[in-house]
Amino acid sequence: MDKRYEVYCLVDPCFYDAPAHSERDESRDCEAARRPVPDTWVRAQLGDWAVYRPDGAKLPVQGWKVHVSACLDNAEEILGAVWHYCVPRRIPFKFLPSKDFLFLANAKYAHRGASGKFVTIYPADEAQLHRVLTELDAALHGRPGPYILSDLRWAEGPLYVRYGAFADRYCVAPGGEVVPAIEDGTGQLVPDVRGPTFQVPDWVRLPEFLEPHLADRARTTVSGLPYRIDSALHFSNGGGLYAGVDLRTGERVVLKEARPYAGLTPDGSDAVTRLHREREALERLAGLDCVPAVRDHFMLGDHHFLVEEFIEGSTLYEQFIDRYPLVALEADESAYADYTSWALDIFRKIERAVDAVHERGVVVGDVHTLNALVQPDGRVVLIDFEGASDVALARRQTLAAPGFAAPWATTGFDIDRYALACLRLFLFMPLPGLIDLDANKAGHFAREAARLFPLPPAFLADAVQVINGNAVDGDRLPATDEPRLDPDPQGWERARDSVSAAIRASATPQREDRLFPGDIEQFLTPGSGTAFAHGAAGVLYALNVTGAGRHPQYEDWLVQRALHPGPGTRLGFYEGMHGVAYVLDHLGHRAEAMKVLDIGAGERWDRLGLNLYGGLAGIGLNLLHFAARTDDPAFRDTALQVADLAAGRLGPADSVPEVSGREQPYAGLMLGSSGPALMFVRLYEYTGEAHFLDLAATALRQDLRRCVVRPDGAMEVNEGFRTMPYLADGSVGIGLVLDHYLAHRDDEQFAEAATAIRRAATAPFYIEPGLFDGVAGMILHLSRPHPPGTAAERDPVVAAHIRRLARYVCTYQGNLAFPGEQLMRLSMDLATGSAGVLLAVGSALHHEPVRLPFLAPPGRGGAGRGGAGRSSRAGSGNAHPDLSVPAPTYQKGGDRT
């Protein structure tokens, strides 16, 4: 569960969106945000921040900055003091204009590196920095605020300092990703690290006046505690969870840390308040064997700690993953029966544990699969009582996992009863989060679970009754229309028309940041709203290649943003300008595509990672594509430069490639060595030079080294704690490139791996529907060998996957739409949402070829074995496979023909 997504669910009930786009209550805006801009000052909006600077002021590009923290109840006072200090002295500053934004910055799962920052002040030099700290501290000393983990605290007030960037500049990090940058001592751009610890860059001298404050910070240590901390189990903005040992007794314990004023929940309570609630609840429940016992509580610095007994066991979620028969390839009837028996037994134990807590008048408040531990003897223990309350207080829920959150008005024991109803469904169809997006899903999941598992009739009917808040007819589930996706030509046309209508209905051409709602990556990576993976380029490409039409007004939107990229816009294919240029060219906007490539030509690409997603492989493939499309030798020559650089970094087959001296940590198509392997295969087809196939083989073996064959014969990427079959970072993406390689050269190891990988794409259940990490990627892979439009007819697994997509279908304005990553909101993008599903189903059912760029099935539209037989160093070459796509007949301003 990726906790970053929660804050992006607070703005819109249907789509992920950034808090800056919320329709905020202006009465909660700070008074300073409503003031007229001072004379000779300029105000600008930067994301969530209101930025104030004196007209004509010049600042250094980096230096020591001051951050000011605040609580909701003293924010006005603190901001007023900063305003009245900075404006007369003409010192630039920025602040969060709304208390709602301040709440989000301090929420439980806010980014720990940025948490607590309410105001940022930009001193011109160290002398002004000292004055600001000294003089502002006189006005603000002792005011409470959350500790800013990334900074050094000044004295005992809400002032903190950190060395970092003032201007927006970017560089390539050691892992190959593009990140905010500062200059090092030699003038080179290096990452501006913004983590949850205070760090001074090696080349920067800590000002002498900060040294006593650093010494004060170092005095707080765990060395005097009667506990040894062995490992960190979990972190949130509210604090940490640690496993340790009581040195006095040798007993294993868990230590829960709470930071004051941080980790806020919707009721306004901070982590310390919730830790006190947990302590009170557990002390009230003392003696029950279904909750952990309290051992101690203490303070260290201003952090609070609760010590609990360590419970041996694994979470219910972990047990579920190990046992759930739908993820197995060959589960028989007995496997379903055995699982059903276990699941009903474990549910009864959890229900009895909740009942025992209720008997003492306590509401658990946060029942879900990660908050129930199953011990080796089968006993169940409920953990994490931060959201617990006395039933007599009739409190609403303050904490809940997605899919287990009760309706807002629910109070008391009904909160836990709702979560238990969701747990009934989860154990047999683990998609309860979709119920928040489509109320019909509870009945839909219950009916499908009843068809698959030998369940008592009342078990699921009772759950649907609680979730939907209405009575059912005895043990019978309510009859409603279930969504269907039929794997035939008529079903394809219905699905395509409906999904494309939902995509169009979601468009927001009035916005600058994104056209189609998608993943939170749209707000985390500059330029992602236009990009191929998560932005408009990928959506428009999917609509076009699946026959869902051309959309001039949306193409105009993409052209305008592509020609004026914002600071930090990425260069790579799936995340940046190269993918946008490819789509513009595909849609007939050749001149604009060339301009985008010209803009990108000024960017440094030589330090990027090797990968397809944002690195050298994607750039090299796109340059080769334009070399073929334009017959321009400059594109060919630059593509070969990219290939030479990638080949030099690749290393041998038994190694992991490095980027800037650091191992590239991923496997798979998008981020692993399979992306460079695809580039080398295409270069072989373009040039006929066999050494490119040798390089492709080396890269593929690097990825296969990171794979494992499961007991059921399926090959998946081994991530240590799990194995992954998916298109982006799992084995299926590797399998796609293996197939392209095997079209040119026989290899027994590769052929066996390709067969085992295809097996990984045949499971009857995947947790998400999307292209990169879900069912759609499996459909795309399994459809590859078949002629257009025939995959579902020829392969029953493809047909079954298409039907199973109905599990995830929600409705948006009366049409079919699919949820994105984490299943908490709908997505329309290519990587995670509806556009990707559309493209994958089109690859199986559309009468014309549908594929991702550079991944046409071998032998279609290009050279056969051995390529053109022409040297890469002479002549442009024009015999090649999927390096170009047919130009559409539509021209800007006309009709599609």
Side-chain angles (χ1 to χ4, degrees):
M1 188 179 299
D2 190 337
K3 293 296 185 180
R4 296 178 306 159
Y5 282 76
E6 291 191 5
V7 70
Y8 294 93
C9 292
L10 301 176
V11 176
D12 189 300
C14 293
F15 302 111
Y16 296 120
D17 210 343
H21 294 286
S22 62
E23 295 182 6
R24 68 177 188 264
D25 181 357
E26 293 187 0
S27 67
R28 291 177 60 80
D29 277 5
C30 298
E31 187 271 334
R34 302 194 299 270
R35 290 178 188 166
V37 178
D39 290 341
T40 72
W41 281 68
V42 177
R43 171 176 169 151
Q45 197 70 29
L46 182 64
D48 300 345
W49 298 87
V51 183
Y52 285 76
R53 62 177 178 81
D55 192 15
K58 294 187 181 299
L59 280 173
V61 293
Q62 63 193 52
W64 290 96
K65 60 181 76 174
V66 178
H67 289 123
V68 190
S69 71
C71 301
L72 295 177
D73 58 1
N74 67 6
E76 291 279 7
E77 176 190 8
I78 287 175
L79 180 56
V82 172
W83 178 287
H84 292 298
Y85 180 83
C86 288
V87 169
R89 294 166 177 81
R90 299 182 66 76
I91 303 173
F93 63 102
K94 69 179 182 181
F95 59 89
L96 295 172
S98 164
K99 290 183 180 179
D100 293 331
F101 289 167
L102 179 59
F103 165 79
L104 294 174
N106 292 321
K108 182 174 181 181
Y109 288 106
H111 187 273
R112 296 174 69 233
S115 173
K117 297 173 184 176
F118 175 47
V119 183
T120 306
I121 302 170
Y122 298 95
D125 50 37
E126 289 186 8
Q128 189 173 70
L129 169 73
H130 195 191
R131 287 196 301 274
V132 168
L133 291 170
T134 303
E135 294 169 0
L136 256 185
D137 182 62
L140 297 176
H141 188 83
R143 302 295 192 282
Y147 196 101
I148 300 175
L149 297 173
S150 62
D151 288 26
L152 176 65
R153 188 178 189 181
W154 176 269
E156 300 299 321
L159 302 180
Y160 297 79
V161 294
R162 173 185 175 273
Y163 188 92
F166 287 12
D168 283 332
R169 296 193 292 175
Y170 297 86
C171 71
V172 180
E177 67 275 13
V178 179
V179 297
I182 53 176
E183 287 182 17
D184 66 11
T186 68
Q188 295 294 313
L189 289 178
V190 297
D192 182 10
V193 179
R194 302 177 181 184
T197 56
F198 175 65
Q199 300 180 43
V200 181
D202 295 340
W203 65 92
V204 174
R205 177 189 61 83
L206 184 75
E208 184 177 348
F209 55 82
L210 293 179
E211 290 177 359
H213 303 277
L214 184 61
D216 286 344
R217 182 177 181 273
R219 290 192 183 98
T220 301
T221 70
V222 298
S223 59
L225 294 177
Y227 302 101
R228 184 185 74 234
I229 295 177
D230 293 331
S231 62
L233 303 176
H234 174 70
F235 284 109
S236 76
N237 189 32
L241 182 68
Y242 310 92
V245 173
D246 188 328
L247 297 174
R248 298 163 297 189
T249 65
E251 180 190 15
R252 296 181 71 191
V253 293
V254 169
L255 297 91
K256 296 193 71 170
E257 173 193 27
R259 300 174 53 225
Y261 317 115
L264 303 181
T265 47
D267 64 343
S269 62
D270 67 354
V272 172
T273 300
R274 294 195 306 278
L275 193 71
H276 285 218
R277 289 177 186 168
E278 177 158 9
R279 175 187 162 197
E280 291 171 358
L282 291 179
E283 288 176 344
R284 187 168 173 176
L285 300 172
L288 294 179
D289 66 356
C290 59
V291 300
V294 173
R295 296 296 190 231
D296 193 7
H297 59 91
F298 62 89
M299 288 185 64
L300 181 64
D302 59 356
H303 291 205
H304 295 241
F305 287 83
L306 179 65
V307 184
E308 302 175 8
E309 71 167 314
F310 182 90
I311 304 297
E312 193 73 47
S314 55
T315 67
L316 174 58
Y317 184 79
E318 293 169 318
Q319 294 252 326
F320 164 80
I321 291 295
D322 288 340
R323 296 172 180 267
Y324 191 54
L326 257 69
V327 301
L329 299 185
E330 295 178 346
D332 57 19
E333 188 174 319
S334 64
Y336 282 82
D338 291 345
Y339 173 81
T340 301
S341 176
W342 171 84
L344 291 174
D345 177 64
I346 207 75
F347 177 81
R348 284 191 291 267
K349 290 177 178 176
I350 292 172
E351 193 173 41
R352 285 197 294 267
V354 172
D355 287 343
V357 172
H358 287 182
E359 286 173 4
R360 298 202 180 181
V362 175
V363 179
V364 180
D366 194 16
V367 176
H368 62 86
T369 56
L370 293 173
N371 281 352
L373 295 179
V374 182
Q375 296 193 281
D377 62 2
R379 182 168 62 93
V380 168
V381 177
L382 304 177
I383 60 171
D384 199 349
F385 280 76
E386 285 186 37
S389 64
D390 188 319
V391 67
L393 298 177
R395 282 187 184 144
R396 292 189 172 97
Q397 195 169 26
T398 58
L399 288 169
F404 294 86
W408 172 244
T410 309
T411 61
F413 293 151
D414 286 343
I415 292 172
D416 296 339
R417 294 188 184 111
Y418 185 92
L420 289 171
C422 293
L423 181 59
R424 289 183 185 229
L425 286 183
F426 179 96
L427 288 169
F428 297 96
M429 189 52 58
L431 304 169
L434 297 184
I435 295 170
D436 292 337
L437 294 174
D438 190 327
N440 292 322
K441 282 298 175 185
H444 177 191
F445 294 154
R447 285 188 296 276
E448 183 167 4
R451 290 192 292 266
L452 292 167
F453 296 92
L455 285 162
F459 185 81
L460 297 175
D462 290 349
V464 174
Q465 178 176 351
V466 172
I467 292 169
N468 287 348
N470 51 33
V472 298
D473 182 9
D475 296 340
R476 297 178 60 187
L477 292 167
T480 59
D481 292 334
E482 294 186 22
R484 291 177 55 185
L485 278 84
D486 296 318
D488 56 41
Q490 295 75 30
W492 159 239
E493 290 185 5
R494 287 193 299 270
R496 179 188 62 195
D497 293 347
S498 187
V499 173
S500 62
I503 291 172
R504 296 194 305 272
S506 74
T508 55
Q510 72 278 8
R511 287 179 58 156
E512 288 292 323
D513 59 335
R514 57 107 161 126
L515 176 59
F516 300 105
D519 190 67
I520 67 170
E521 195 64 34
Q522 293 182 331
F523 312 107
L524 300 176
T525 303
S528 247
T530 62
F532 198 87
H534 300 293
V539 175
L540 294 175
Y541 175 83
L543 291 173
N544 180 254
V545 298
T546 57
R550 297 288 302 280
H551 308 285
Q553 70 275 31
Y554 301 147
E555 293 175 21
D556 288 344
W557 186 97
L558 179 60
V559 166
Q560 293 306 312
R561 276 72 183 174
L563 293 177
H564 302 91
T569 297
R570 306 299 194 247
L571 185 61
F573 189 88
Y574 277 87
E575 68 175 356
M577 288 186 276
H578 269 271
V580 173
Y582 179 97
V583 172
L584 290 178
D585 183 61
H586 169 72
L587 295 173
H589 303 283
R590 171 66 58 82
E592 290 83 356
M594 293 302 178
K595 290 178 182 177
V596 173
L597 290 176
D598 285 344
I599 295 169
E603 301 293 324
R604 291 287 302 271
W605 49 262
D606 54 306
R607 291 184 59 200
L608 292 173
L610 303 187
N611 62 69
L612 176 64
Y613 187 82
L616 297 179
I619 292 172
L621 281 163
N622 199 43
L623 291 169
L624 204 59
H625 159 81
F626 276 96
R629 292 280 282 166
T630 66
D631 214 28
D632 184 342
F635 286 123
R636 177 206 62 204
D637 293 344
T638 309
L640 292 169
Q641 290 177 32
V642 171
D644 288 344
L645 182 59
R649 290 186 188 166
L650 188 64
D654 60 352
S655 72
V656 176
E658 291 189 354
V659 179
S660 300
R662 175 177 157 193
E663 284 192 351
Q664 186 268 100
Y666 302 101
L669 178 64
M670 291 296 161
L671 297 175
S673 293
S674 293
L678 178 63
M679 178 181 67
F680 292 132
V681 169
R682 293 294 175 241
L683 281 161
Y684 165 72
E685 293 167 340
Y686 187 87
T687 68
E689 294 187 3
H691 80 279
F692 284 124
L693 269 190
D694 298 337
L695 289 167
T698 296
L700 285 167
R701 287 192 170 89
Q702 288 177 347
D703 265 4
L704 289 177
R705 283 183 61 247
R706 299 178 228 183
C707 293
V708 62
V709 178
R710 295 167 56 94
D712 57 15
M715 177 177 280
E716 299 184 358
V717 169
N718 183 9
E719 294 190 344
F721 65 102
R722 63 182 179 183
T723 61
M724 297 290 280
Y726 299 114
L727 179 75
D729 52 6
S731 58
V732 162
I734 301 171
L736 277 173
V737 185
L738 283 172
D739 289 345
H740 287 271
Y741 178 92
L742 289 167
H744 300 293
R745 180 185 285 174
D746 294 333
D747 186 296
E748 185 176 353
Q749 178 198 3
F750 287 178
E752 291 176 356
T755 298
I757 287 170
R758 287 184 69 81
R759 188 164 173 77
T762 63
F765 184 86
Y766 301 94
I767 198 67
E768 292 180 356
L771 182 64
F772 277 20
D773 293 296
V775 183
M778 308 304 163
I779 295 171
L780 184 78
H781 178 53
L782 294 174
S783 298
R784 184 205 59 77
H786 303 292
T790 68
E793 178 184 351
R794 291 166 173 250
D795 188 342
V797 176
V798 172
H801 280 338
I802 292 172
R803 292 190 185 96
R804 292 179 188 127
L805 281 171
R807 290 171 179 160
Y808 313 90
V809 165
C810 300
T811 57
Y812 179 70
Q813 296 193 11
N815 289 293
L816 305 182
F818 290 87
E821 190 86 9
Q822 304 294 304
L823 305 179
M824 297 164 69
R825 291 293 185 269
L826 301 177
S827 170
M828 300 301 178
D829 71 29
L830 184 96
T832 70
S834 300
V837 174
L838 184 68
L839 184 135
V841 177
S843 74
L845 296 176
H846 194 47
H847 63 275
E848 295 178 357
V850 174
R851 73 272 189 174
L852 285 173
F854 322 123
L855 280 166
R860 290 189 200 158
R865 188 182 300 266
R870 185 176 298 172
S871 169
S872 63
R873 311 304 181 193
S876 62
N878 53 23
H880 41 80
D882 183 37
L883 298 176
S884 62
V885 292
T889 56
Y890 163 86
Q891 296 299 321
K892 189 173 179 181
D895 295 324
R896 182 180 181 274
T897 58

